[in-house]
Amino acid sequence: MNNSSIVPLQSDAFLTPVASAPARSILTLTEGEFSRLQFLAGACARTTLGVAKNGKNQLTEDDIFVVWAKGIELGLPPMAALASLDMIQGVPTLDPQGMLALINQRKLMEDMTIEGDDQHCTVMMKRYGRSPITKTF
């Protein structure tokens, strides 16, 4: 690895723990932050960290960068974004565990039930001040 290509961070706000990471737009990143994410995405793409959750597809450097960009917008640090976002038809999509983590982190959920058997799973979630939503899979 060539150390001369490492760009020092100008701000580490997007690397803070999930509980305190502010949601931001990727458009607000400094050039240094942007360059650092590109460099780290390339490094991750060359490791098993770059393997998609289905275990079959290797994420490209660009895929990882886009996942991290979406994570920044959701207030997730890069590695949490890589663990919680899937690339589905080229779109970074938050997985159910990530959704639940963000809901719990922001203390928006009043109630949740999960019922299921070997054929179906029914999930009911209710946010404070809203009607419950129930989905069966």
Side-chain angles (χ1 to χ4, degrees):
M1 179 172 13
N2 180 354
N3 287 337
S4 65
S5 64
I6 296 175
V7 178
L9 289 176
Q10 303 211 357
S11 167
D12 62 350
F14 65 95
L15 297 175
T16 57
V18 175
S20 61
R24 329 171 24 187
S25 168
I26 190 169
L27 299 175
T28 65
L29 295 178
T30 66
E31 283 185 49
E33 291 169 330
F34 193 89
S35 295
R36 177 58 64 98
L37 281 178
Q38 284 181 313
F39 172 78
L40 293 173
C44 283
R46 293 185 296 274
T47 71
T48 57
L49 288 174
V51 175
K53 289 186 202 171
N54 66 14
K56 297 177 184 174
N57 303 326
Q58 181 74 20
L59 296 175
T60 67
E61 180 176 339
D62 291 339
D63 290 337
I64 293 170
F65 185 85
V66 169
V67 163
W68 284 349
K70 182 66 172 183
I72 289 167
E73 291 179 347
L74 294 172
L76 296 171
M79 298 313 285
L82 197 56
S84 299
L85 289 156
D86 296 312
M87 286 298 283
I88 300 176
Q89 296 181 344
V91 178
T93 305
L94 193 59
D95 68 17
Q97 293 88 354
M99 290 178 197
L100 184 57
L102 287 179
I103 290 168
N104 284 330
Q105 169 207 356
R106 294 176 179 146
K107 301 184 185 341
L108 299 174
M109 187 166 41
E110 181 178 336
D111 191 22
M112 177 179 74
T113 61
I114 302 173
E115 299 172 1
D117 55 32
D118 60 343
Q119 298 292 316
H120 303 91
C121 178
T122 300
V123 179
M124 183 283 300
M125 291 186 180
K126 182 180 183 317
R127 288 177 59 158
Y128 290 104
R130 297 201 181 165
S131 300
I133 294 177
T134 302
K135 298 288 181 185
T136 300
F137 304 93

